[in-house]
Amino acid sequence: MAATAQTAEGHGAVPRLAAMPEDWSRALAVVAHPDDLEYGVASAVAEWTASGKEITYVLATRGEAGIDTLEPAEAARIREGEQRASAAVVGVTEVEFLDHRDGVLEEGPALRRDIAGAIRRHRPELVVTLNHYDTWGGAPGSPWNTPDHRALGRAVLDAVGDAGNRWIFTDQLEQDGVLPWPGVRWVAVAAAPTVTHAAAVGEEAARKGLASLLEHRAYIEALTDEDPETYARSIVHGGLDHYAERNGGRRAVAFELHPR
């Protein structure tokens, strides 16, 4: 996920964002690649885990196609390690990889099945994912989103419904012993062009969010010649500051929230 992931919502007055719901205990964050969550969401995760909430990460790929100078197998090994270390910084101990191929994720039943299986296993009330729209930002000429992000985010929204339907992916119920899970109450889409809700982030959570992104050092160093900490700070703190005006002056991670 590149620096362009921070959204711009146009010009002029914008309405205040509603507060993210807090009356939940388990969340599942589902994204395409290592580092996707660290470009903003990790700061909110740090706040949530500090308050006792349980968060699990599920990644569709190991990011093996993300570093041009490394063979895919080596890139996958490095990026998996970076992701596990990054998750630990913000209090997440469970990280799963679905082992779909990086760069060629396909929206469809195979991806939906694996995501629905994860939802059934972990039984979250909140599911978090990343921008599935065509662009980063809603203004004309906004940067084009990647195929993996578009496919993954849309599959997540569909898989939430699949997970609660006992007549879809019934083999999971028979072979894996999981039960249908209709208990997802919201899906929160981070970095969407139009956001509706904000999770306020304090100083310690912002610090952890920055440290979490910096764990992806091999990826960052392959992505930019800029000093990694300068680069990461501009992304993480820049994103948190961007939404402060719409959150009563408090730094925030913003989401498009879909009640279920």
Side-chain angles (χ1 to χ4, degrees), residues 4-68:
T4 52
Q6 302 302 334
T7 61
E9 300 192 26
H11 304 284
V14 288
R16 179 162 179 167
L17 297 169
M20 278 287 288
E22 291 290 339
D23 57 332
W24 54 273
S25 59
R26 293 187 310 278
L28 189 68
V30 187
V31 292
H33 317 106
D35 91 304
D36 280 352
L37 291 164
E38 284 67 53
Y39 277 82
V41 178
S43 296
V45 171
E47 285 285 1
W48 293 335
T49 58
S51 70
K53 298 183 187 299
E54 177 184 332
I55 319 292
T56 298
Y57 285 0
V58 172
L59 290 89
T61 80
R62 295 178 192 265
E64 67 272 13
I67 300 179
D68 184 66

Short mmCIF file of all heavy atoms in Angstrom, two decimals, residues 4-68:
data_model
loop_
_atom_site.label_atom_id
_atom_site.label_comp_id
_atom_site.label_asym_id
_atom_site.label_seq_id
_atom_site.Cartn_x
_atom_site.Cartn_y
_atom_site.Cartn_z
N THR A 4 -0.16 7.14 -1.30
CA THR A 4 -1.34 7.79 -1.85
C THR A 4 -2.62 7.28 -1.22
O THR A 4 -3.70 7.74 -1.57
CB THR A 4 -1.40 7.53 -3.36
OG1 THR A 4 -1.27 6.12 -3.58
CG2 THR A 4 -0.30 8.25 -4.07
N ALA A 5 -2.53 6.36 -0.26
CA ALA A 5 -3.74 5.80 0.33
C ALA A 5 -4.52 6.78 1.18
O ALA A 5 -5.68 6.58 1.44
CB ALA A 5 -3.38 4.59 1.19
N GLN A 6 -3.90 7.87 1.62
CA GLN A 6 -4.65 8.83 2.40
C GLN A 6 -5.65 9.53 1.49
O GLN A 6 -5.33 9.97 0.40
CB GLN A 6 -3.69 9.86 3.03
CG GLN A 6 -2.63 9.24 3.91
CD GLN A 6 -3.23 8.42 5.04
OE1 GLN A 6 -4.35 8.69 5.47
NE2 GLN A 6 -2.50 7.44 5.52
N THR A 7 -6.89 9.63 1.96
CA THR A 7 -7.94 10.13 1.10
C THR A 7 -8.09 11.64 1.18
O THR A 7 -7.82 12.26 2.18
CB THR A 7 -9.30 9.49 1.46
OG1 THR A 7 -9.61 9.85 2.81
CG2 THR A 7 -9.23 7.99 1.32
N ALA A 8 -8.55 12.21 0.09
CA ALA A 8 -8.87 13.64 0.05
C ALA A 8 -10.33 13.75 -0.30
O ALA A 8 -10.81 13.13 -1.23
CB ALA A 8 -8.02 14.34 -1.00
N GLU A 9 -11.07 14.57 0.42
CA GLU A 9 -12.51 14.57 0.27
C GLU A 9 -13.02 15.86 -0.36
O GLU A 9 -14.16 16.26 -0.16
CB GLU A 9 -13.16 14.32 1.63
CG GLU A 9 -12.72 13.00 2.19
CD GLU A 9 -13.56 12.57 3.37
OE1 GLU A 9 -14.72 13.00 3.47
OE2 GLU A 9 -13.06 11.82 4.19
N GLY A 10 -12.17 16.50 -1.11
CA GLY A 10 -12.63 17.69 -1.79
C GLY A 10 -12.42 18.93 -0.97
O GLY A 10 -11.68 18.96 -0.01
N HIS A 11 -13.09 20.00 -1.33
CA HIS A 11 -12.87 21.30 -0.72
C HIS A 11 -14.15 21.78 -0.06
O HIS A 11 -15.24 21.29 -0.30
CB HIS A 11 -12.41 22.30 -1.79
CG HIS A 11 -11.18 21.85 -2.52
ND1 HIS A 11 -9.92 21.91 -1.96
CD2 HIS A 11 -11.02 21.32 -3.76
CE1 HIS A 11 -9.03 21.44 -2.82
NE2 HIS A 11 -9.67 21.08 -3.92
N GLY A 12 -14.00 22.77 0.80
CA GLY A 12 -15.16 23.36 1.45
C GLY A 12 -15.48 22.66 2.75
O GLY A 12 -14.79 21.76 3.20
N ALA A 13 -16.57 23.11 3.39
CA ALA A 13 -16.97 22.58 4.68
C ALA A 13 -17.38 21.12 4.56
O ALA A 13 -18.05 20.71 3.61
CB ALA A 13 -18.13 23.40 5.23
N VAL A 14 -16.96 20.34 5.54
CA VAL A 14 -17.32 18.93 5.57
C VAL A 14 -17.92 18.62 6.93
O VAL A 14 -17.54 19.20 7.94
CB VAL A 14 -16.09 18.02 5.30
CG1 VAL A 14 -15.68 18.09 3.85
CG2 VAL A 14 -14.93 18.40 6.21
N PRO A 15 -18.89 17.70 7.00
CA PRO A 15 -19.57 17.44 8.26
C PRO A 15 -18.68 16.70 9.25
O PRO A 15 -17.75 16.00 8.85
CB PRO A 15 -20.76 16.58 7.84
CG PRO A 15 -20.31 15.91 6.58
CD PRO A 15 -19.44 16.92 5.89
N ARG A 16 -18.99 16.86 10.53
CA ARG A 16 -18.27 16.13 11.56
C ARG A 16 -18.57 14.64 11.44
O ARG A 16 -19.70 14.24 11.15
CB ARG A 16 -18.66 16.65 12.94
CG ARG A 16 -17.94 15.90 14.06
CD ARG A 16 -17.97 16.63 15.36
NE ARG A 16 -17.30 15.86 16.40
CZ ARG A 16 -16.96 16.34 17.58
NH1 ARG A 16 -17.21 17.60 17.87
NH2 ARG A 16 -16.36 15.58 18.48
N LEU A 17 -17.56 13.83 11.67
CA LEU A 17 -17.72 12.39 11.60
C LEU A 17 -18.37 11.87 12.88
O LEU A 17 -18.08 12.35 13.98
CB LEU A 17 -16.36 11.71 11.40
CG LEU A 17 -15.65 12.06 10.10
CD1 LEU A 17 -14.21 11.56 10.14
CD2 LEU A 17 -16.38 11.46 8.90
N ALA A 18 -19.23 10.87 12.75
CA ALA A 18 -19.80 10.21 13.92
C ALA A 18 -18.73 9.36 14.59
O ALA A 18 -17.75 8.96 13.95
CB ALA A 18 -20.98 9.33 13.49
N ALA A 19 -18.90 9.09 15.86
CA ALA A 19 -17.95 8.25 16.59
C ALA A 19 -18.15 6.79 16.21
O ALA A 19 -19.29 6.32 16.04
CB ALA A 19 -18.13 8.42 18.09
N MET A 20 -17.05 6.08 16.03
CA MET A 20 -17.14 4.64 15.82
C MET A 20 -17.81 3.98 17.02
O MET A 20 -17.57 4.36 18.16
CB MET A 20 -15.75 4.04 15.62
CG MET A 20 -15.20 4.19 14.22
SD MET A 20 -16.01 3.07 13.02
CE MET A 20 -15.34 1.48 13.52
N PRO A 21 -18.64 2.95 16.78
CA PRO A 21 -19.24 2.24 17.91
C PRO A 21 -18.17 1.58 18.77
O PRO A 21 -17.13 1.16 18.27
CB PRO A 21 -20.14 1.19 17.24
CG PRO A 21 -19.65 1.08 15.84
CD PRO A 21 -19.06 2.39 15.48
N GLU A 22 -18.42 1.52 20.06
CA GLU A 22 -17.48 0.93 21.00
C GLU A 22 -18.05 -0.28 21.74
O GLU A 22 -17.34 -0.94 22.50
CB GLU A 22 -17.05 1.98 22.03
CG GLU A 22 -16.18 3.09 21.45
CD GLU A 22 -14.78 2.62 21.06
OE1 GLU A 22 -14.34 1.58 21.60
OE2 GLU A 22 -14.14 3.28 20.23
N ASP A 23 -19.34 -0.57 21.54
CA ASP A 23 -19.97 -1.66 22.29
C ASP A 23 -19.78 -3.00 21.59
O ASP A 23 -20.72 -3.67 21.17
CB ASP A 23 -21.45 -1.38 22.52
CG ASP A 23 -22.23 -1.14 21.23
OD1 ASP A 23 -21.62 -0.67 20.24
OD2 ASP A 23 -23.43 -1.43 21.22
N TRP A 24 -18.52 -3.39 21.45
CA TRP A 24 -18.16 -4.68 20.87
C TRP A 24 -16.89 -5.16 21.54
O TRP A 24 -16.16 -4.37 22.16
CB TRP A 24 -17.96 -4.57 19.35
CG TRP A 24 -16.97 -3.52 18.92
CD1 TRP A 24 -17.24 -2.20 18.68
CD2 TRP A 24 -15.56 -3.68 18.72
NE1 TRP A 24 -16.09 -1.53 18.33
CE2 TRP A 24 -15.04 -2.41 18.34
CE3 TRP A 24 -14.70 -4.76 18.81
CZ2 TRP A 24 -13.69 -2.22 18.06
CZ3 TRP A 24 -13.35 -4.58 18.53
CH2 TRP A 24 -12.86 -3.31 18.16
N SER A 25 -16.61 -6.46 21.40
CA SER A 25 -15.42 -7.02 22.05
C SER A 25 -14.46 -7.70 21.09
O SER A 25 -13.28 -7.84 21.41
CB SER A 25 -15.83 -8.01 23.15
OG SER A 25 -16.60 -9.07 22.60
N ARG A 26 -14.93 -8.14 19.90
CA ARG A 26 -14.07 -8.86 18.96
C ARG A 26 -14.17 -8.25 17.57
O ARG A 26 -15.28 -8.00 17.07
CB ARG A 26 -14.45 -10.34 18.87
CG ARG A 26 -14.20 -11.14 20.12
CD ARG A 26 -14.44 -12.64 19.87
NE ARG A 26 -15.74 -12.88 19.23
CZ ARG A 26 -16.90 -12.94 19.89
NH1 ARG A 26 -16.93 -12.74 21.20
NH2 ARG A 26 -18.03 -13.18 19.24
N ALA A 27 -13.02 -8.06 16.94
CA ALA A 27 -12.98 -7.56 15.57
C ALA A 27 -12.04 -8.41 14.73
O ALA A 27 -11.07 -9.00 15.25
CB ALA A 27 -12.53 -6.10 15.52
N LEU A 28 -12.33 -8.47 13.46
CA LEU A 28 -11.49 -9.16 12.49
C LEU A 28 -11.10 -8.15 11.42
O LEU A 28 -11.97 -7.53 10.80
CB LEU A 28 -12.26 -10.33 11.86
CG LEU A 28 -11.48 -11.29 10.97
CD1 LEU A 28 -10.48 -12.10 11.80
CD2 LEU A 28 -12.43 -12.22 10.23
N ALA A 29 -9.81 -7.95 11.22
CA ALA A 29 -9.31 -7.04 10.18
C ALA A 29 -8.83 -7.88 9.01
O ALA A 29 -7.91 -8.70 9.17
CB ALA A 29 -8.20 -6.17 10.72
N VAL A 30 -9.43 -7.70 7.84
CA VAL A 30 -9.13 -8.52 6.66
C VAL A 30 -8.64 -7.61 5.54
O VAL A 30 -9.38 -6.74 5.06
CB VAL A 30 -10.38 -9.30 6.19
CG1 VAL A 30 -10.00 -10.28 5.08
CG2 VAL A 30 -11.04 -10.04 7.35
N VAL A 31 -7.41 -7.82 5.10
CA VAL A 31 -6.83 -6.99 4.04
C VAL A 31 -6.05 -7.87 3.07
O VAL A 31 -5.90 -9.08 3.28
CB VAL A 31 -5.92 -5.89 4.62
CG1 VAL A 31 -6.74 -4.86 5.39
CG2 VAL A 31 -4.83 -6.48 5.51
N ALA A 32 -5.54 -7.26 2.03
CA ALA A 32 -4.88 -8.01 0.96
C ALA A 32 -3.42 -8.33 1.27
O ALA A 32 -2.95 -9.43 0.97
CB ALA A 32 -4.97 -7.24 -0.35
N HIS A 33 -2.68 -7.38 1.85
CA HIS A 33 -1.22 -7.50 1.93
C HIS A 33 -0.67 -7.13 3.31
O HIS A 33 -1.27 -6.32 4.01
CB HIS A 33 -0.55 -6.54 0.93
CG HIS A 33 -1.17 -6.50 -0.40
ND1 HIS A 33 -1.93 -5.44 -0.85
CD2 HIS A 33 -1.14 -7.40 -1.43
CE1 HIS A 33 -2.34 -5.68 -2.09
NE2 HIS A 33 -1.89 -6.86 -2.46
N PRO A 34 0.51 -7.67 3.65
CA PRO A 34 1.27 -7.09 4.76
C PRO A 34 1.48 -5.59 4.49
O PRO A 34 1.75 -5.21 3.35
CB PRO A 34 2.60 -7.85 4.71
CG PRO A 34 2.28 -9.15 4.04
CD PRO A 34 1.22 -8.80 3.01
N ASP A 35 1.31 -4.80 5.51
CA ASP A 35 1.44 -3.33 5.56
C ASP A 35 0.14 -2.60 5.28
O ASP A 35 0.04 -1.41 5.56
CB ASP A 35 2.56 -2.79 4.67
CG ASP A 35 2.11 -2.43 3.25
OD1 ASP A 35 1.56 -3.30 2.56
OD2 ASP A 35 2.32 -1.27 2.86
N ASP A 36 -0.90 -3.25 4.72
CA ASP A 36 -2.13 -2.53 4.41
C ASP A 36 -2.73 -1.86 5.64
O ASP A 36 -3.23 -0.73 5.57
CB ASP A 36 -3.16 -3.47 3.79
CG ASP A 36 -2.93 -3.74 2.31
OD1 ASP A 36 -2.06 -3.08 1.71
OD2 ASP A 36 -3.62 -4.63 1.76
N LEU A 37 -2.72 -2.55 6.76
CA LEU A 37 -3.32 -2.00 7.98
C LEU A 37 -2.47 -0.92 8.63
O LEU A 37 -2.98 -0.06 9.35
CB LEU A 37 -3.58 -3.12 8.99
CG LEU A 37 -4.68 -4.10 8.58
CD1 LEU A 37 -4.62 -5.37 9.41
CD2 LEU A 37 -6.05 -3.45 8.72
N GLU A 38 -1.18 -0.96 8.35
CA GLU A 38 -0.27 -0.07 9.06
C GLU A 38 -0.25 1.35 8.50
O GLU A 38 0.33 2.25 9.11
CB GLU A 38 1.14 -0.66 9.05
CG GLU A 38 1.32 -1.80 10.04
CD GLU A 38 0.53 -3.04 9.68
OE1 GLU A 38 0.63 -3.54 8.54
OE2 GLU A 38 -0.21 -3.54 10.56
N TYR A 39 -0.87 1.57 7.37
CA TYR A 39 -0.90 2.91 6.80
C TYR A 39 -1.99 3.78 7.43
O TYR A 39 -2.31 4.84 6.92
CB TYR A 39 -1.06 2.85 5.28
CG TYR A 39 0.25 2.65 4.57
CD1 TYR A 39 0.81 1.38 4.44
CD2 TYR A 39 0.96 3.73 4.06
CE1 TYR A 39 2.02 1.20 3.81
CE2 TYR A 39 2.18 3.55 3.43
CZ TYR A 39 2.71 2.29 3.30
OH TYR A 39 3.91 2.11 2.68
N GLY A 40 -2.55 3.34 8.55
CA GLY A 40 -3.54 4.16 9.24
C GLY A 40 -4.33 3.40 10.28
O GLY A 40 -4.44 3.82 11.43
N VAL A 41 -4.86 2.23 9.91
CA VAL A 41 -5.76 1.50 10.80
C VAL A 41 -5.06 1.05 12.08
O VAL A 41 -5.68 0.98 13.15
CB VAL A 41 -6.36 0.28 10.07
CG1 VAL A 41 -7.26 -0.53 11.00
CG2 VAL A 41 -7.14 0.72 8.84
N ALA A 42 -3.78 0.76 12.02
CA ALA A 42 -3.08 0.23 13.19
C ALA A 42 -3.17 1.14 14.40
O ALA A 42 -3.18 0.67 15.54
CB ALA A 42 -1.62 -0.05 12.84
N SER A 43 -3.23 2.44 14.20
CA SER A 43 -3.36 3.35 15.33
C SER A 43 -4.69 3.15 16.05
O SER A 43 -4.77 3.19 17.28
CB SER A 43 -3.23 4.80 14.87
OG SER A 43 -1.93 5.05 14.35
N ALA A 44 -5.77 2.93 15.29
CA ALA A 44 -7.06 2.62 15.90
C ALA A 44 -7.01 1.27 16.60
O ALA A 44 -7.56 1.10 17.70
CB ALA A 44 -8.16 2.63 14.85
N VAL A 45 -6.33 0.30 15.98
CA VAL A 45 -6.19 -1.02 16.61
C VAL A 45 -5.49 -0.89 17.95
O VAL A 45 -5.86 -1.54 18.94
CB VAL A 45 -5.44 -1.98 15.67
CG1 VAL A 45 -5.09 -3.29 16.39
CG2 VAL A 45 -6.28 -2.27 14.43
N ALA A 46 -4.46 -0.05 18.02
CA ALA A 46 -3.74 0.15 19.28
C ALA A 46 -4.67 0.68 20.36
O ALA A 46 -4.59 0.26 21.53
CB ALA A 46 -2.56 1.09 19.07
N GLU A 47 -5.55 1.61 20.00
CA GLU A 47 -6.53 2.11 20.96
C GLU A 47 -7.47 0.99 21.41
O GLU A 47 -7.78 0.85 22.60
CB GLU A 47 -7.35 3.26 20.36
CG GLU A 47 -6.62 4.57 20.25
CD GLU A 47 -6.48 5.30 21.59
OE1 GLU A 47 -6.93 4.76 22.63
OE2 GLU A 47 -5.90 6.40 21.60
N TRP A 48 -7.93 0.20 20.46
CA TRP A 48 -8.90 -0.85 20.77
C TRP A 48 -8.29 -1.94 21.67
O TRP A 48 -8.90 -2.36 22.64
CB TRP A 48 -9.43 -1.46 19.49
CG TRP A 48 -10.27 -0.51 18.68
CD1 TRP A 48 -10.98 0.57 19.13
CD2 TRP A 48 -10.49 -0.54 17.26
NE1 TRP A 48 -11.63 1.20 18.10
CE2 TRP A 48 -11.35 0.54 16.94
CE3 TRP A 48 -10.07 -1.39 16.23
CZ2 TRP A 48 -11.78 0.80 15.64
CZ3 TRP A 48 -10.49 -1.15 14.94
CH2 TRP A 48 -11.33 -0.05 14.64
N THR A 49 -7.10 -2.39 21.34
CA THR A 49 -6.49 -3.45 22.17
C THR A 49 -6.16 -2.92 23.56
O THR A 49 -6.27 -3.65 24.55
CB THR A 49 -5.24 -4.03 21.51
OG1 THR A 49 -4.28 -2.99 21.27
CG2 THR A 49 -5.58 -4.73 20.20
N ALA A 50 -5.77 -1.65 23.66
CA ALA A 50 -5.47 -1.07 24.97
C ALA A 50 -6.71 -1.03 25.86
O ALA A 50 -6.59 -1.07 27.10
CB ALA A 50 -4.90 0.34 24.80
N SER A 51 -7.89 -0.98 25.25
CA SER A 51 -9.13 -0.97 26.02
C SER A 51 -9.68 -2.37 26.27
O SER A 51 -10.77 -2.52 26.80
CB SER A 51 -10.19 -0.13 25.31
OG SER A 51 -10.63 -0.77 24.12
N GLY A 52 -8.91 -3.40 25.86
CA GLY A 52 -9.30 -4.77 26.14
C GLY A 52 -10.02 -5.49 25.02
O GLY A 52 -10.45 -6.64 25.18
N LYS A 53 -10.14 -4.87 23.86
CA LYS A 53 -10.80 -5.52 22.73
C LYS A 53 -9.85 -6.51 22.05
O LYS A 53 -8.64 -6.31 22.04
CB LYS A 53 -11.31 -4.48 21.74
CG LYS A 53 -12.36 -3.53 22.35
CD LYS A 53 -12.89 -2.56 21.33
CE LYS A 53 -13.78 -1.51 21.97
NZ LYS A 53 -14.97 -2.09 22.63
N GLU A 54 -10.41 -7.55 21.48
CA GLU A 54 -9.63 -8.61 20.83
C GLU A 54 -9.69 -8.41 19.31
O GLU A 54 -10.77 -8.41 18.72
CB GLU A 54 -10.21 -9.97 21.20
CG GLU A 54 -9.53 -11.15 20.55
CD GLU A 54 -10.23 -12.46 20.88
OE1 GLU A 54 -10.84 -12.55 21.97
OE2 GLU A 54 -10.17 -13.39 20.06
N ILE A 55 -8.53 -8.28 18.70
CA ILE A 55 -8.45 -8.05 17.25
C ILE A 55 -7.60 -9.16 16.64
O ILE A 55 -6.53 -9.50 17.15
CB ILE A 55 -7.78 -6.70 16.92
CG1 ILE A 55 -8.23 -5.58 17.86
CG2 ILE A 55 -8.02 -6.34 15.45
CD1 ILE A 55 -9.66 -5.17 17.73
N THR A 56 -8.08 -9.71 15.52
CA THR A 56 -7.33 -10.70 14.75
C THR A 56 -7.10 -10.15 13.35
O THR A 56 -8.00 -9.50 12.78
CB THR A 56 -8.10 -12.03 14.66
OG1 THR A 56 -8.27 -12.56 15.98
CG2 THR A 56 -7.35 -13.05 13.81
N TYR A 57 -5.92 -10.39 12.81
CA TYR A 57 -5.61 -9.98 11.45
C TYR A 57 -5.69 -11.19 10.51
O TYR A 57 -5.16 -12.26 10.84
CB TYR A 57 -4.18 -9.43 11.35
CG TYR A 57 -3.95 -8.04 11.91
CD1 TYR A 57 -4.97 -7.28 12.49
CD2 TYR A 57 -2.67 -7.48 11.86
CE1 TYR A 57 -4.72 -6.02 12.99
CE2 TYR A 57 -2.41 -6.20 12.36
CZ TYR A 57 -3.45 -5.48 12.92
OH TYR A 57 -3.20 -4.23 13.42
N VAL A 58 -6.30 -11.00 9.35
CA VAL A 58 -6.32 -11.99 8.29
C VAL A 58 -5.85 -11.31 7.01
O VAL A 58 -6.41 -10.29 6.61
CB VAL A 58 -7.72 -12.60 8.09
CG1 VAL A 58 -7.76 -13.48 6.85
CG2 VAL A 58 -8.12 -13.42 9.32
N LEU A 59 -4.83 -11.88 6.38
CA LEU A 59 -4.27 -11.33 5.15
C LEU A 59 -4.45 -12.32 4.02
O LEU A 59 -4.13 -13.50 4.17
CB LEU A 59 -2.79 -10.99 5.33
CG LEU A 59 -2.54 -9.80 6.26
CD1 LEU A 59 -2.40 -10.26 7.71
CD2 LEU A 59 -1.30 -9.05 5.83
N ALA A 60 -4.95 -11.83 2.90
CA ALA A 60 -5.21 -12.73 1.78
C ALA A 60 -3.92 -13.25 1.16
O ALA A 60 -3.87 -14.38 0.67
CB ALA A 60 -6.05 -12.02 0.72
N THR A 61 -2.85 -12.44 1.15
CA THR A 61 -1.58 -12.84 0.54
C THR A 61 -0.45 -12.58 1.53
O THR A 61 -0.63 -11.97 2.57
CB THR A 61 -1.30 -12.04 -0.74
OG1 THR A 61 -0.77 -10.75 -0.40
CG2 THR A 61 -2.55 -11.86 -1.59
N ARG A 62 0.74 -13.02 1.16
CA ARG A 62 1.94 -12.73 1.95
C ARG A 62 2.77 -11.60 1.34
O ARG A 62 3.90 -11.37 1.73
CB ARG A 62 2.79 -13.99 2.11
CG ARG A 62 2.09 -15.08 2.91
CD ARG A 62 2.91 -16.35 3.04
NE ARG A 62 2.08 -17.42 3.57
CZ ARG A 62 1.99 -17.76 4.86
NH1 ARG A 62 2.73 -17.12 5.75
NH2 ARG A 62 1.20 -18.73 5.26
N GLY A 63 2.19 -10.92 0.35
CA GLY A 63 2.87 -9.78 -0.26
C GLY A 63 4.10 -10.15 -1.06
O GLY A 63 5.01 -9.34 -1.24
N GLU A 64 4.10 -11.35 -1.60
CA GLU A 64 5.32 -11.87 -2.24
C GLU A 64 5.69 -11.16 -3.53
O GLU A 64 6.84 -11.25 -3.99
CB GLU A 64 5.17 -13.38 -2.50
CG GLU A 64 4.13 -13.77 -3.54
CD GLU A 64 2.73 -13.96 -2.96
OE1 GLU A 64 2.49 -13.56 -1.80
OE2 GLU A 64 1.88 -14.50 -3.69
N ALA A 65 4.75 -10.45 -4.14
CA ALA A 65 5.04 -9.73 -5.38
C ALA A 65 5.34 -8.26 -5.14
O ALA A 65 5.40 -7.48 -6.09
CB ALA A 65 3.87 -9.87 -6.36
N GLY A 66 5.57 -7.87 -3.89
CA GLY A 66 5.64 -6.47 -3.56
C GLY A 66 7.01 -5.84 -3.56
O GLY A 66 7.14 -4.63 -3.44
N ILE A 67 8.09 -6.65 -3.66
CA ILE A 67 9.45 -6.10 -3.63
C ILE A 67 10.18 -6.55 -4.88
O ILE A 67 10.51 -7.73 -5.04
CB ILE A 67 10.20 -6.54 -2.36
CG1 ILE A 67 9.46 -6.05 -1.11
CG2 ILE A 67 11.63 -6.01 -2.37
CD1 ILE A 67 10.10 -6.46 0.20
N ASP A 68 10.42 -5.63 -5.78
CA ASP A 68 10.95 -5.96 -7.10
C ASP A 68 12.31 -6.64 -7.04
O ASP A 68 12.64 -7.46 -7.90
CB ASP A 68 11.04 -4.68 -7.93
CG ASP A 68 11.50 -4.95 -9.35
OD1 ASP A 68 10.75 -5.61 -10.10
OD2 ASP A 68 12.62 -4.51 -9.71
#
